[in-house]
Amino acid sequence: MKRIGYLSSIALAAWLAAPITPALALPVTPAPGVPLVRTVAGVRIVEQADPAEGLVGVMLFLRAGLDRQPARQNGVAALAAAAILRTPVNGVPLDRAVRARGGSVSYVVEPRTVRFYVQGLADRQSQILALFESALAHPLFNTATIASARAILDQQIAQAQRIPLRVGLEMLDRSIYAGSNGGWPADGTPATLAFIGPTAVQAFYTRNYRSGGSTISAVGKLAALPSGTLTGLARTLPGGTPSRVAVARTALMAHSRQFVTHRSIQAPWLIARYQAPPLGSKDFGAMLVLASFLQRTVSQIAGLPPLVSRDIAGSTVGAFYRFDRRPASLVLYVDGALGAPQQVFSTALSVVHVVANSKFTGSIGGFKRIAAGSYAIGATSLRRRAWLAGIFVERGLPADYIGSVIAQVNATTPADVQRVAKRYLTTPWLAFVLPRPSAVASH
Amino acid sequence: MKRAFISLTALALVATPWFGMPQAYAAPTAPAQLRGSLPHGGSYVIRADPTLRAAAIELWFRAPASGYRNRTPGLGQLAAVSAAAAKLVSGISLVNLVRSVGGRLSVNVYPDIIGVGAVVPSGAARRVVAAMTAAYFAPRIDESALEMAKRDAAVLVVESHFSSARLLHDALFARIFAHGPAHYPALPGSVTSFATLALTPVQTYARRAFRSGNGLLVLTGNVSPAVLSAVTDGRPGRADVPIDSPLARSPRSGDVDGTGTGIGLAWVGPSIRHQRAATAMDFIADYLFRDGTGTVQRSLTNDDVSLEGQFITLHHPGVMLVTLSGPASNLARRRISSALAALRKPLPEAAFEAAKTAFVYHVQSDTQTLRDLADNLGWYAVEGNPSYAPGDASRTYLRTAAHLDPAFVAGVVRRYLSKPVTVRIISPKKGTAS
């Protein structure tokens, strides 16, 4: 969330009481950037050609996420990915070798997948991908590489602990996946990482880095890639599909729960998590509209002025829809530096409650336009485009990740929104990240 | 490069032939880029990418942030935001129009230039072009809009108190430049200094600064030249010349009141016309200071210090600016001195080529989104060298970067990066008004 219109104080009233007006249809402009999909060696390959770009981005989705970590090996998924980036290729760690050739390589560990993202100058990208393939196929999991990877993860963990929203979400995630490892912290913890050695990392890699079920999503100046480049990447991994993982989840709607922790921060953060429909659900479009409404409303409750100058609003209060996660969720958050966080937070929760339990007949055309527009403008960077195309195809959804979503939003009716609000926005789970007493005293 | 202030949020993201490249770079196909004159004064540049479903629409002006007499810090900010917040003939403001289509509007005021930008779904581009040009080429600022702008500016002022980088930036520019817009902060240090500002001077400033003849409209993304017919306001006229600020004869280092620990370093560099030297300064900033990859930056990974360093490309002259905040600022400063001393000698060829390739990638990566591209096309045009913009279809910048060599870069270090002007943050003693 970025801006707050100064007329938004009437938003709730309009939501609940405005007369019915026909919703304006949002234009679904056919665009030449609709992704193409094929399957090679069990790997789905999604391609979005963009001749105007000077770069190519390639994202690889592997079923090697947190939920595949064995007991007492919290962090092994991140350690394996980080060690691949530190694997020497031509005598230099992969991340440095890629940098020197005009690119970058990174990874993200998620509950079910690990995603590698390799971006580079279009005419260098095939060389860069060859380096990546080399490290991916023949990672060096020796003591030195694991130690280097562990040191990087320790730094990342320390930095993450300074971000209250992340701390709060990790607490909530851990509880949602109470019966499995999918909710463990993405990078593990320094204590658990210290006890994971090369043998465990190698075993994790051997078990889970398989071509079956993986997806490659490429975007940018694809014409610059020699033919067979992406196919080569698809054939890099050994065949087979990682064994299924049973994921036990706690039912969010059953009851509300609260979690509290303390960190060295200046002001408290208050976070609420609601269950939400996953990508591909018939309720997805309606939840996007609801999320758009709540995003605006929570900011106006906080009384922020109509900022058009900077991104302050998005860093202090807001709401976002984690539709890519399974289970998906809707998150509301308030930064206590605002002054009266309890009041803002409780009012926001009340608004959600009202939306979920009041009958309304207002027009939702405005919120549909906002939802569709926000979604469309959020899909402009190569990384984001590769990610969206990848998760849509991975879930068996249409590869046109913008057109299909706009169509869903267009088709959403007030009754849909009401039904979705009633179903999902019931009992939130709450996380409170509070300053340590010593931190408050010293400031 | 174009100046970039720190983003507070923790949440949260081109081509013609490459002549004479020393390495085997390919020659990509040129994308469509058009330049021309707007129907009622002013100019435009369009860079289309039909594969996207969004468009960036920006207006850029040469305008002094503290007024034409440099006596009213915040005047440019208030005028620019008021124009966006004022109701148009249609009854809706630009702010609310952009919001209603799910877009994002931003107003960025620098000492000598002002940029207003919106990223919107492509289907709304025409309406937003019409509204944005109407809002600025024929501003309808009233008391209500000005009040909104004051509230917005008040938040910015308070926020800036927590930004040591901003504090150091303003203090360094005040020392480097004797007078002119760059000598003054774009925003005042306190809310009270603009709280009583009357409507008339804001309207007068807006009519002068935002006249169509002084404007550049930048369009990127899924947008066609046909949207230009939506521009119905303005009248022909000449653009102002780039606004330079005279340098101080012998700027002195010193202290500035603030909270925490921080050090700022500044070196006066080449103007935007000296493309090769300016590009070399960008290369040096990238090599030493870039987040995640810069050699100095990486050497400080385990130390409690935040480092930001960039060359700010201006009409004349540019400025290399480094800000350090945190307990390890002194250590970081020593590392910077050592790194610059080492760069006075040419880097080994292989290391230089690797660093240059990484730099070229970073430039393309940094101009990759439609907003980043529009920002660069706008900034470099109003600073006086449009075709030199990173991301411009002429690829002038990338060709210049490709021709950098170790000896030239070392020469630029020796010429421009010797003794910096330094500002140190000191916390005022208890009981002392800052």
Side-chain angles (χ1 to χ4, degrees):
Chain A
M1 188 190 62
K2 189 176 171 72
R3 306 289 164 233
I4 308 153
Y6 58 80
L7 294 181
S8 59
S9 57
I10 61 169
L12 183 60
W15 174 263
L16 294 170
I20 296 174
T21 54
L24 293 176
L26 298 158
V28 183
T29 316
V34 173
L36 300 174
V37 187
R38 58 194 165 112
T39 302
V40 174
V43 180
R44 290 171 292 253
I45 299 179
V46 198
E47 296 172 88
Q48 297 176 77
D50 186 347
E53 280 291 346
L55 305 173
V56 171
V58 176
M59 191 170 281
L60 171 64
F61 299 69
L62 291 170
R63 291 185 182 173
L66 299 173
D67 59 355
R68 294 174 185 279
Q69 300 179 133
R72 294 187 298 280
Q73 289 187 14
N74 174 13
V76 70
L79 209 46
I84 288 170
L85 265 58
R86 300 303 296 164
T87 291
V89 283
N90 303 330
V92 181
L94 173 67
D95 52 357
R96 275 180 52 200
V98 167
R99 200 156 59 230
R101 281 167 179 76
S104 57
V105 56
S106 58
Y107 69 88
V108 174
V109 179
E110 296 181 322
R112 297 177 187 233
T113 58
V114 61
R115 290 188 280 121
F116 289 92
Y117 183 61
V118 185
Q119 184 177 280
L121 295 168
D123 51 330
R124 299 288 188 96
Q125 182 70 339
S126 63
Q127 300 169 37
I128 291 167
L129 284 172
L131 297 173
F132 176 64
E133 286 172 25
S134 171
L136 187 67
H138 307 290
L140 184 62
F141 295 135
N142 64 12
T143 307
T145 311
I146 297 298
S148 172
R150 189 184 294 121
I152 291 169
L153 291 177
D154 284 345
Q155 286 168 8
Q156 289 177 188
I157 292 165
Q159 287 167 358
Q161 290 301 305
R162 297 176 196 159
I163 304 172
L165 182 57
R166 180 160 173 181
V167 171
L169 286 176
E170 283 189 348
M171 274 200 299
L172 292 167
D173 286 346
R174 183 77 193 98
S175 305
I176 299 301
Y177 290 93
S180 71
N181 302 330
W184 281 358
D187 292 330
T189 69
T192 57
L193 289 172
F195 291 99
I196 302 174
T199 308
V201 177
Q202 180 68 56
F204 181 85
Y205 170 86
T206 304
R207 236 181 2 257
N208 298 300
Y209 276 60
R210 300 276 172 175
S211 59
S214 63
T215 301
I216 294 171
S217 180
V219 58
K221 189 187 273 301
L222 300 184
L225 293 181
S227 66
T229 302
L230 298 176
T231 306
L233 177 57
R235 296 187 193 283
T236 296
L237 290 166
T241 303
S243 54
R244 292 181 67 87
V245 174
V247 177
R249 296 195 299 260
T250 305
L252 256 178
M253 288 187 289
H255 53 278
S256 182
R257 294 178 66 177
Q258 298 182 7
F259 304 88
V260 180
T261 189
H262 293 81
R263 290 291 185 278
S264 295
I265 54 178
Q266 307 295 314
W269 275 68
L270 297 77
I271 301 154
R273 173 186 169 134
Y274 294 89
Q275 193 174 24
L279 199 57
S281 158
K282 65 181 173 53
D283 295 336
F284 175 70
M287 184 51 88
L288 262 189
V289 176
L290 267 173
S292 167
F293 163 72
L294 292 172
Q295 197 171 31
R296 303 278 170 170
T297 304
V298 75
S299 297
Q300 82 192 45
I301 291 168
L304 289 176
L307 297 167
V308 292
S309 305
R310 298 282 284 275
D311 282 341
I312 298 171
S315 64
T316 51
V317 295
F320 56 90
Y321 179 13
R322 298 167 94 196
F323 55 78
D324 60 309
R325 294 295 180 100
R326 289 173 285 184
S329 59
L330 180 77
V331 175
L332 298 183
Y333 61 93
V334 175
D335 174 2
L338 282 176
Q342 303 93 324
Q343 188 181 347
V344 172
F345 194 61
S346 59
T347 308
L349 296 183
S350 300
V351 168
V352 174
H353 184 75
V354 168
V355 168
N357 293 285
S358 302
K359 185 167 179 58
F360 60 89
T361 55
S363 164
I364 60 168
F367 290 112
K368 286 165 65 172
R369 272 193 298 279
I370 293 171
S374 301
Y375 180 81
I377 69 168
T380 58
S381 71
L382 288 179
R383 181 191 292 265
R384 180 92 177 172
R385 291 157 76 186
W387 175 70
L388 283 169
I391 58 171
F392 270 66
V393 170
E394 194 185 35
R395 311 277 169 93
L397 301 171
D400 182 7
Y401 55 86
I402 293 186
S404 63
V405 169
I406 291 178
Q408 280 191 66
V409 171
N410 273 340
T412 300
T413 66
D416 293 332
V417 175
Q418 182 87 67
R419 174 176 49 76
V420 170
K422 274 190 173 162
R423 177 172 178 189
Y424 294 97
L425 303 184
T426 51
T427 46
W429 284 21
L430 309 176
F432 302 102
V433 185
L434 307 176
R436 289 200 170 100
S438 57
V440 175
S442 64
H443 291 89
Chain B
M1 294 287 277
K2 163 192 169 304
R3 174 182 355 213
F5 285 121
I6 322 168
S7 169
L8 285 184
T9 179
L11 305 178
L13 315 204
V14 209
T16 48
W18 194 324
F19 299 105
M21 293 292 296
Q23 296 185 38
Y25 290 103
T29 309
Q33 179 173 300
L34 297 172
R35 289 185 186 276
S37 298
L38 291 170
H40 308 287
S43 55
Y44 71 83
V45 55
I46 299 178
R47 182 63 167 282
D49 182 348
T51 69
L52 299 171
R53 309 287 179 96
I57 297 154
E58 300 196 348
L59 269 177
W60 288 81
F61 302 95
R62 291 170 180 152
S66 298
Y68 285 91
R69 294 183 178 182
N70 296 313
R71 289 179 181 172
T72 319
L75 181 57
Q77 176 75 31
L78 291 178
V81 176
S82 297
K87 279 187 184 174
L88 302 171
V89 174
S90 63
I92 188 169
S93 68
L94 175 63
V95 169
N96 281 340
L97 173 63
V98 172
R99 176 178 168 270
S100 73
V101 297
R104 294 177 182 170
L105 183 70
S106 61
V107 173
N108 294 296
V109 178
Y110 305 99
D112 58 331
I113 58 177
I114 293 175
V116 181
V119 181
V120 298
S122 47
R126 182 179 178 83
R127 274 183 295 158
V128 174
V129 166
M132 187 181 286
T133 51
Y136 287 89
F137 295 168
R140 298 163 57 88
I141 299 170
D142 56 15
E143 290 285 2
S144 171
L146 179 58
E147 191 55 37
M148 295 292 168
K150 286 180 177 176
R151 288 175 59 201
D152 179 79
V155 174
L156 287 181
V157 168
V158 172
E159 175 222 351
S160 69
H161 292 168
F162 297 97
S163 168
S164 54
R166 185 77 185 231
L167 179 68
L168 291 165
H169 171 282
D170 289 347
L172 286 164
F173 269 52
R175 288 166 186 275
I176 290 173
F177 295 101
H179 49 90
H183 178 76
Y184 302 95
L187 270 177
S190 76
V191 175
T192 51
S193 44
F194 63 75
T196 56
L197 193 60
L199 179 62
T200 302
V202 175
Q203 291 172 322
T204 305
Y205 176 92
R207 279 196 295 270
R208 177 172 174 182
F210 305 144
R211 67 191 192 281
S212 60
N214 195 37
L216 168 71
L217 178 65
V218 185
L219 304 171
T220 61
N222 191 343
V223 63
S224 86
V227 301
L228 294 174
S229 63
V231 181
T232 56
D233 289 285
R235 54 194 167 95
R238 295 171 66 91
D240 291 341
V241 296
I243 308 168
D244 291 334
S245 297
L247 287 169
R249 284 189 179 174
S250 50
R252 291 182 181 174
S253 297
D255 300 327
V256 61
D257 286 349
T259 54
T261 307
I263 300 173
L265 311 169
W267 297 260
V268 173
S271 73
I272 199 169
R273 283 184 301 114
H274 298 119
Q275 294 177 178
R276 198 171 181 217
T279 308
M281 295 288 268
D282 284 339
F283 167 82
I284 294 160
D286 184 83
Y287 179 67
L288 297 178
F289 307 132
R290 186 179 178 87
D291 191 26
T293 61
T295 56
V296 174
Q297 187 78 260
R298 286 167 58 207
S299 78
L300 297 166
T301 304
N302 294 317
D303 299 301
D304 194 1
V305 62
S306 168
L307 182 159
E308 288 184 45
Q310 64 172 330
F311 178 62
I312 302 170
T313 309
L314 298 170
H315 181 256
H316 178 72
V319 177
M320 179 75 88
L321 190 81
V322 177
T323 58
L324 306 163
S325 56
S329 294
N330 276 317
L331 169 70
R333 186 189 171 177
R334 288 195 295 275
R335 295 259 171 89
I336 291 168
S337 298
S338 301
L340 286 173
L343 277 183
R344 295 169 74 85
K345 292 180 183 172
L347 281 170
E349 193 69 35
F352 182 83
E353 286 303 321
K356 191 168 72 175
T357 303
F359 171 56
V360 168
Y361 166 67
H362 294 152
V363 170
Q364 297 219 42
S365 185
D366 291 348
T367 53
Q368 188 246 306
T369 67
L370 45 84
R371 180 177 170 181
D372 290 338
L373 179 59
D375 281 354
N376 276 280
L377 293 174
W379 176 285
Y380 279 74
V382 292
E383 289 293 351
N385 197 344
S387 63
Y388 174 56
D392 184 78
S394 69
R395 293 179 78 85
T396 302
Y397 189 97
L398 294 174
R399 280 204 308 278
T400 308
H403 282 107
L404 292 177
D405 61 65
F408 182 78
V409 170
V412 166
V413 174
R414 291 194 298 272
R415 176 170 179 185
Y416 293 107
L417 298 173
S418 295
K419 190 179 177 189
V421 176
T422 305
V423 167
R424 189 179 298 271
I425 294 176
I426 56 166
S427 301
K429 292 176 184 173
K430 283 181 181 175
T432 307
S434 62

